[in-house]
């Protein structure tokens, strides 16, 4: 039991890997993550000179290029940022770093290629086991926890009905997340609940939402827009049917996919949905009494300012 | 019905006769619905090996046709013709002409990995879909898919700068696929946020637009990646070419053997 507090202490000071999306369309996620870190007294050290993890696209050119890109991020964290816990709020980044970790631990061929590329690129080769990648959900859950949030938020989100949407990359494929599905207390890959836990600790009411890990079509958001719109519309309508007023997200690709295709569904198919879309960090920020602008809520495409005012949250 | 017989019950394979008597038994009407005999002689024996040689296709041989992939598939729910289990069957048996009937939708896999999660044999059907889409393009059966165009633009940007910018990827993609940048829905999005955003945000985006975010010390990494990608591409091309000539000579050898018998 000693290591629980020991670990919580360790996680209070992590290497932070925002990734490309959080510098662009997912800026509200970055701003709100930093804002709650500050409010909760958690330290984020940006990974020095980080690069793109390879997102969902690079592996289709060659999977090893993706492994290399992610391994360079881990190498920068360990060797340049001097921190071996890497916190990545973006599902895509989180997934790719985990996948690189798995590949390097299990595949000799990957190790060779990554070593060759790293040497050519002039930096230290990342070796499996040197770092641990965690998601923003793990980070809050393990440092502050439900108890801590309950104390600090005083149930401020009471009366807010939320559908928690986790998407694909946070849970699939299962083998790259060895810490999940380990019984009570661990995250589940079929019915994830970490976001539910945190938001309900902040007072929100989580609705029974069957599409937590459905796909939003993010990989083809532009190249096959009609498919994405159909998939997103399905998620939005299911959330509304479950009685949700807000969909909480934990990934910039899912988030902007939901927002963009909510508008596209209305424009192209005349299907309007009213459910609001907010990052879970924005919701936690509001619960902690941080103003919506400081959480980047006005930079979201989905307009929820008036709604939040009605709910007494701004 | 076994999945490999699926193709038999297409309308063009079914015949019926209004009046038909066979050996004195009247089988008119719906009793006279027959499935045409099918003879397949043009199996492509290299297809499985070629697809297995492309990234993602490695484990295709493990498939035991349980159907869990199709059953869990995101795209299948929207487009019933999208059927990973069936395509894996066709690839493994070499039924190329049947596979080519679906050539225009295989690239639509959204990489959700529901199939990978469900597959009891670790086939990684998601990878097989990507490898198959790749194979179709390399063989010239289909033009480059919008998804591949997107992946290429994306990767080029990373090789060059180390990071990507979503606005730049979006603009290049629309340009290369000849789509107008200002789609009605994109316009709506820009208007929606434009109304609410402070001037500062606009300035920041403009700044990023002119001064691209760069990763210091990226040059060497970018060069290493560029070399590696070229090498891999060469390798894929020759894997497809080599297999072909190898199997062709094998086949020729067998023909000679048969002729000798
Ligand atoms: S789930 Fe796996 S084993 Fe079953 S049909 Fe699909 S690929 Fe084959
Ligand atoms: S990864 Fe592709 S093939 Fe697999 S379930 Fe998703 S859409 Fe279907």
């Amino acid at each position: 039991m000693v290591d629980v507090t020991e670990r919580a202490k360790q996680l209070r000071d992590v290497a932070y890997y925002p990734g490309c999306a959080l510098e662009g369309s997912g800026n509200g996620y970055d701003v709100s993550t930093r804002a709650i870190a500050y409010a909760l007294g958690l330290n984020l050290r940006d990974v020095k000179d980080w690069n793109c993890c390879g997102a969902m696209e690079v592996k289709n050119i060659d999977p090893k290029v993706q492994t290399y890109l992610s391994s360079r991020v881990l190498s920068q964290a360990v060797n340049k940022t001097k921190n071996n816990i890497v916190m990545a709020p973006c599902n895509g980044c989180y997934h790719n770093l985990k996948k690189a970790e798995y590949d390097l631990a299990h595949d000799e061929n990957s190790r060779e290629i990554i070593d060759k590329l790293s040497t050519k690129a002039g930096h230290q080769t990342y070796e499996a086991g040197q770092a641990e990648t965690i998601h923003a959900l793990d980070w809050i859950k393990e440092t502050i926890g439900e108890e801590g949030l309950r104390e600090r938020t005083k149930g401020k989100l009471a009366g807010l009905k939320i559908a928690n949407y986790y998407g694909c990359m946070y849970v699939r494929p299962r083998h790259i997340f060895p810490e999940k599905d380990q019984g009570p207390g661990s995250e589940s890959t079929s019915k994830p609940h970490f976001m539910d836990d945190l938001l309900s600790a902040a007072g929100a009411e989580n609705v029974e939402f069957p599409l937590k890990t459905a796909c939003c079509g993010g990989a083809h958001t532009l190249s096959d827009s009609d498919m994405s719109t159909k998939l997103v519309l399905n998620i939005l309508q299911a959330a509304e049917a479950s009685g949700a007023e807000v969909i909480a997200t934990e990934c910039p690709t899912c988030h902007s996919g939901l927002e963009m295709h909510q508008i596209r569904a209305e424009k192209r198919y005349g299907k309007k949905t009213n459910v609001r879309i907010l990052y879970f960090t924005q919701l936690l920020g509001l619960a902690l009494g941080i103003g919506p602008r400081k959480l980047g809520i006005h930079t979201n495409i989905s307009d929820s300012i008036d709604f939040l005012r009605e709910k007494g949250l701004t | 019905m076994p999945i490999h017989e699926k193709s038999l019950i297409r309308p063009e394979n079914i015949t019926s006769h209004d009046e038909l008597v066979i050996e004195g038994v009247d089988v008119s009407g719906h009793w006279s619905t027959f499935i045409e005999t099918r003879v397949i002689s043009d199996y492509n024996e290299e297809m499985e090996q070629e697809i297995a040689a492309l990234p993602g296709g490695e484990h295709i041989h493990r498939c035991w046709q349980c159907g869990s992939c199709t059953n869990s598939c995101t795209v299948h729910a929207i487009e019933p013709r999208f059927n990973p289990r069936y395509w894996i069957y066709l690839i493994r048996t070499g039924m190329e002409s049947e596979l080519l009937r679906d050539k225009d939708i295989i690239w639509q896999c959204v990489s959700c990995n529901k199939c990978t999660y469900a597959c009891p044999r670790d086939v990684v059907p998601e990878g097989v879909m990507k490898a198959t889409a790749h194979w179709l393009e390399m063989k010239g059966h289909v033009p480059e898919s919008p998804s591949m165009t997107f992946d290429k633009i994306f990767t080029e940007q990373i090789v060059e700068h180390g990071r990507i910018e979503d606005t730049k990827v979006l603009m290049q993609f629309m340009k290369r696929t000849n789509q107008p940048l200002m789609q009605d829905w994109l316009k709506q999005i820009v208007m929606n946020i434009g109304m609410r955003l402070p001037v500062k945000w606009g300035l920041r985006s403009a700044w990023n637009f002119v001064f691209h975010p760069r990763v210091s010390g990226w040059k060497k990494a970018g060069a290493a990646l560029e070399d590696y990608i070229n090498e891999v591409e060469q390798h894929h091309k020759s894997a497809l070419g080599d297999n072909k000539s190898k199997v062709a000579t094998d086949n020729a050898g067998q023909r000679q053997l048969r002729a000798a018998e």
Side-chain angles (χ1 to χ4, degrees):
Chain A
M1 282 290 102
V2 189
D3 25 13
V4 175
T5 44
E6 191 44 47
R7 184 166 161 80
K9 221 163 93 195
Q10 214 185 352
L11 293 190
R12 297 185 80 91
D13 184 4
V14 292
Y16 175 50
Y17 176 44
C20 306
L22 268 70
E23 296 232 307
S25 54
N27 197 244
Y29 198 12
D30 182 57
V31 170
S32 54
T33 301
R34 292 182 197 273
I36 64 169
Y38 184 73
L40 295 169
L42 305 172
N43 195 19
L44 298 176
R45 296 166 197 259
D46 286 41
V47 172
K48 222 170 162 263
D49 269 320
W50 54 264
N51 55 276
C52 173
C53 68
M56 275 180 282
E57 287 75 12
V58 172
K59 77 163 192 353
N60 299 331
I61 304 297
D62 189 75
K64 297 288 181 276
V65 176
Q66 179 184 294
T67 307
Y68 166 72
L69 290 169
S70 299
S71 82
R72 183 182 178 278
V73 174
L74 293 168
S75 167
Q76 291 294 108
V78 175
N79 301 310
K80 295 281 159 64
T81 323
K82 304 289 180 203
N83 198 316
N84 60 358
I85 295 190
V86 185
M87 192 275 277
C90 166
N91 273 1
C93 299
Y94 166 72
H95 175 105
N96 282 354
L97 298 189
K98 287 275 192 193
K99 190 155 186 298
E101 183 72 36
Y102 182 88
D103 280 353
L104 292 172
H106 293 86
D107 180 18
E108 180 58 41
N109 185 29
S110 281
R111 278 198 289 270
E112 266 169 37
I113 295 171
I114 282 16
D115 189 38
K116 222 166 82 189
L117 286 171
S118 305
T119 312
K120 269 200 190 167
H123 59 84
Q124 259 172 285
T125 307
Y126 174 77
E127 280 166 32
Q130 287 181 324
E132 181 191 352
T133 302
I134 60 168
H135 192 270
L137 286 171
D138 303 310
W139 168 64
I140 298 294
K141 180 129 173 144
E142 292 193 54
T143 47
I144 309 299
E146 285 107 297
E147 213 34 66
L149 280 176
R150 233 169 259 131
E151 274 167 30
R152 289 174 168 85
T153 61
K154 314 244 164 8
K156 192 139 184 246
L157 298 185
L160 203 58
K161 295 201 181 76
I162 298 183
N164 291 280
Y165 178 61
Y166 297 81
C168 304
M169 313 278 274
Y170 178 67
V171 289
R172 285 187 297 268
R174 191 192 338 235
H175 66 264
I176 64 171
F177 307 110
E179 70 286 1
K180 292 187 174 148
D181 295 330
Q182 297 302 312
S186 71
E187 183 59 303
S188 156
T189 57
S190 56
K191 283 204 174 90
H193 53 82
F194 277 16
M195 189 158 49
D196 294 67
D197 299 347
L198 297 177
L199 292 171
S200 86
E205 182 190 328
N206 295 316
V207 302
E208 190 61 47
F209 180 49
L211 298 187
K212 283 181 172 185
T213 67
C215 177
C216 70
H220 289 172
T221 201
L222 291 174
S223 48
D224 196 3
S225 304
D226 289 338
M227 179 73 72
S228 299
T229 302
K230 282 179 199 154
L231 294 171
V232 166
L233 189 59
N234 202 13
I235 292 164
L236 299 173
Q237 288 175 332
E240 288 194 343
S242 314
E245 301 159 305
V246 172
I247 297 182
T249 58
E250 40 102 340
C251 166
T253 310
C254 298
H255 183 97
S256 40
L258 294 185
E259 290 191 319
M260 278 166 60
H261 291 282
Q262 183 173 43
I263 290 175
R264 197 170 183 275
E266 192 186 335
K267 283 268 160 196
R268 288 285 160 93
Y269 303 110
K271 303 263 196 233
K272 189 169 165 54
T273 44
N274 286 314
V275 64
R276 309 309 202 279
I277 302 150
L278 289 159
Y279 289 107
F280 87 97
T281 43
Q282 293 177 325
L283 288 162
L284 286 184
L286 291 170
L288 292 165
I290 305 172
R293 278 192 176 256
K294 291 212 162 114
L295 297 164
I297 291 179
H298 56 299
T299 65
N300 290 358
I301 300 171
S302 150
D303 191 355
S304 38
I305 300 276
D306 290 342
F307 165 78
L308 293 171
R309 195 169 300 133
E310 260 167 50
K311 288 276 167 184
L313 282 168
T314 64
Chain B
M1 170 178 321
I3 195 152
H4 52 282
E5 318 235 305
K6 225 170 95 98
S7 55
L8 285 174
I9 45 164
R10 291 196 188 107
E12 66 269 26
N13 295 334
I14 293 175
T15 52
S16 63
H17 308 264
D18 289 339
E19 275 170 39
L20 187 68
V21 176
I22 296 178
E23 294 176 359
V25 182
D26 182 4
V27 290
S28 306
H30 84 255
W31 288 108
S32 74
T33 301
F34 290 93
I35 296 174
E36 297 255 333
T37 314
R38 178 179 63 179
V39 179
I40 302 176
S41 52
D42 56 345
Y43 288 100
N44 180 346
E45 292 168 38
E46 301 118 80
M47 187 161 53
E48 182 182 4
Q49 287 316 314
E50 290 182 350
I51 289 174
L54 296 174
E58 299 87 352
H59 305 308
I60 187 171
H61 64 280
R62 294 180 182 166
C63 175
W64 62 20
Q65 287 292 300
C66 70
S68 303
C69 49
T70 298
N71 197 27
S72 60
C73 177
T74 298
V75 177
H76 179 73
I78 288 179
E79 162 61 270
R81 279 171 62 215
F82 191 98
N83 193 335
R85 173 205 179 188
Y86 181 45
W87 293 334
I88 290 174
Y89 178 84
L90 297 176
I91 294 164
R92 298 209 58 207
T93 42
M95 288 164 73
E96 185 176 9
S97 54
E98 289 295 325
L99 184 77
L100 291 183
R101 295 176 73 105
D102 294 334
K103 65 181 173 17
D104 296 321
I105 59 170
I106 295 177
W107 67 274
Q108 285 184 300
C109 162
V110 289
S111 292
C112 68
N113 270 314
K114 291 206 165 192
C115 51
T116 311
Y117 192 92
C119 177
R121 297 279 296 154
D122 286 342
V123 171
V124 194
E126 184 266 346
V128 177
M129 292 306 106
K130 293 294 164 195
T132 308
H134 201 161
W135 180 85
L136 288 167
E137 283 178 21
M138 289 184 74
K139 287 278 173 179
H141 291 306
V142 291
E144 184 173 288
S145 71
S147 165
M148 187 49 108
T149 309
F150 195 79
D151 296 344
K152 282 188 179 163
I153 294 173
F154 207 94
T155 309
E156 281 163 21
Q157 268 204 33
I158 295 177
V159 170
E160 195 175 337
H161 303 296
R163 292 187 193 175
I164 60 126
E165 277 167 85
D166 23 32
T167 37
K168 205 169 150 206
V169 172
L170 172 84
M171 289 188 353
Q172 279 204 13
F173 176 74
M174 292 306 195
K175 201 169 134 201
R176 272 206 225 171
T177 50
N178 294 321
Q179 296 182 64
L181 182 58
M182 273 295 123
Q183 311 258 329
D184 54 350
W185 54 284
L186 278 174
K187 227 183 258 170
Q188 182 73 43
I189 290 170
V190 173
M191 269 164 53
N192 272 21
I193 32 177
M195 303 289 284
R196 272 181 277 123
L197 286 182
V199 184
K200 211 173 93 201
W201 203 87
L203 282 180
R204 198 184 61 98
S205 328
W207 174 270
N208 279 349
F209 194 76
V210 182
F211 303 98
H212 306 298
R214 271 172 216 279
V215 183
S216 79
W218 183 252
K219 228 178 175 157
K220 274 158 83 184
L225 283 175
E226 202 170 351
D227 288 349
Y228 177 74
I229 292 172
N230 287 337
E231 208 177 285
V232 168
E233 260 168 26
Q234 251 358 78
H235 179 75
H236 291 161
K237 274 190 200 134
S238 67
L240 258 53
D242 282 354
N243 275 349
K244 197 169 188 172
S245 50
K246 187 184 154 291
V247 179
T249 40
D250 285 359
N251 282 352
Q254 275 169 10
R255 265 198 301 277
Q256 276 171 3
L257 268 177
R258 257 180 258 131
E261 283 166 15

